[in-house]
């Protein structure tokens, strides 16, 4: 008969340490960020808010100021997040960071989740009709099966 070793309890390691929330300025993505903020607060996790700046080769080739436009969106998102953080300061305190990546939304979120060592990913439901045919970013993230994914309507 072999002697069984007692199971050692790991204190403070349950739950996610990093929660990635994908934002693009849409209402559903902002709801997803708010939901992720609540999770991060309750779990004492870091909230990593990620905006993926689309690379539009066709728009850039036609002389459209794509980079400036996506930079403006990123700056606006940071301003909104800072405003909301200040508004609830003292009531809800969470650790958060804002990251921007360039590329397609799915690829950018995968890269962000990998680099930030995400334990969970939260995104808004797609508001574009075409995604019912091609597949939304949320569906593709779920199918990747690399992290728990929460889709917020």
């Amino acid at each position: 008969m072999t002697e069984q070793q007692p199971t050692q309890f790991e204190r403070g390691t349950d739950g996610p340490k990093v929660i990635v929330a994908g934002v693009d300025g849409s209402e559903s993505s902002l709801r997803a960020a708010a939901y992720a903020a609540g999770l991060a607060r309750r779990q004492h996790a870091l909230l990593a808010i990620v905006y993926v700046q689309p690379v539009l080769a066709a728009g850039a080739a036609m002389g459209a100021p794509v980079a400036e436009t996506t930079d403006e969106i990123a700056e606006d998102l940071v301003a909104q997040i800072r405003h909301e953080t200040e508004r609830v300061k003292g009531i809800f305190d969470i650790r958060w960071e804002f990251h921007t990546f360039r590329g397609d939304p799915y690829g950018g979120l995968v890269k962000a989740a990998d680099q930030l060592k995400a334990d969970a990913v939260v995104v808004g439901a797609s508001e574009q009709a075409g995604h019912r045919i091609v597949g939304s970013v949320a569906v593709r993230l779920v199918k990747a099966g690399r992290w728990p994914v929460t889709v917020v309507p």
Side-chain angles (χ1 to χ4, degrees):
M1 183 169 166
T2 60
E3 192 175 310
Q4 228 179 349
Q5 294 293 323
T7 305
Q8 189 169 5
F9 179 75
E10 295 181 37
R11 189 177 303 267
T13 58
D14 292 340
K17 300 244 183 293
V18 178
I19 298 170
V20 167
V23 296
D24 62 6
S26 67
E27 287 297 318
S28 68
S29 78
L30 296 177
R31 285 191 297 272
Y35 182 87
L39 288 176
R41 180 182 56 83
R42 289 187 295 280
Q43 296 290 332
H44 304 288
L46 172 68
L47 173 62
I49 300 169
V50 175
Y51 170 61
V52 180
Q53 294 179 292
V55 177
L56 305 173
M62 297 172 78
V66 175
E68 292 87 6
T69 301
T70 58
D71 286 344
E72 287 174 19
I73 293 170
E75 289 170 17
D76 184 50
L77 288 169
V78 170
Q80 287 180 47
I81 294 161
R82 283 201 176 113
H83 173 74
E84 288 303 311
T85 303
E86 286 300 314
R87 192 176 65 80
V88 296
K89 196 173 191 172
I91 302 169
F92 301 117
D93 288 322
I94 62 168
R95 294 178 304 125
W96 65 277
E97 300 172 349
F98 184 83
H99 300 270
T100 60
F101 289 81
R102 290 192 188 273
D104 71 285
Y106 170 76
L109 285 173
V110 166
K111 184 177 179 180
D114 284 345
Q115 284 185 8
L116 299 169
K117 297 180 176 38
D119 296 301
V121 177
V122 181
V123 293
S126 176
E127 295 178 352
Q128 296 180 8
H131 286 170
R132 292 189 182 114
I133 299 164
V134 178
S136 69
V137 171
V139 168
R140 291 173 67 194
L141 288 168
V142 170
K143 285 182 178 181
R146 295 169 60 183
W147 321 268
V149 177
T150 302
V151 183
V152 177

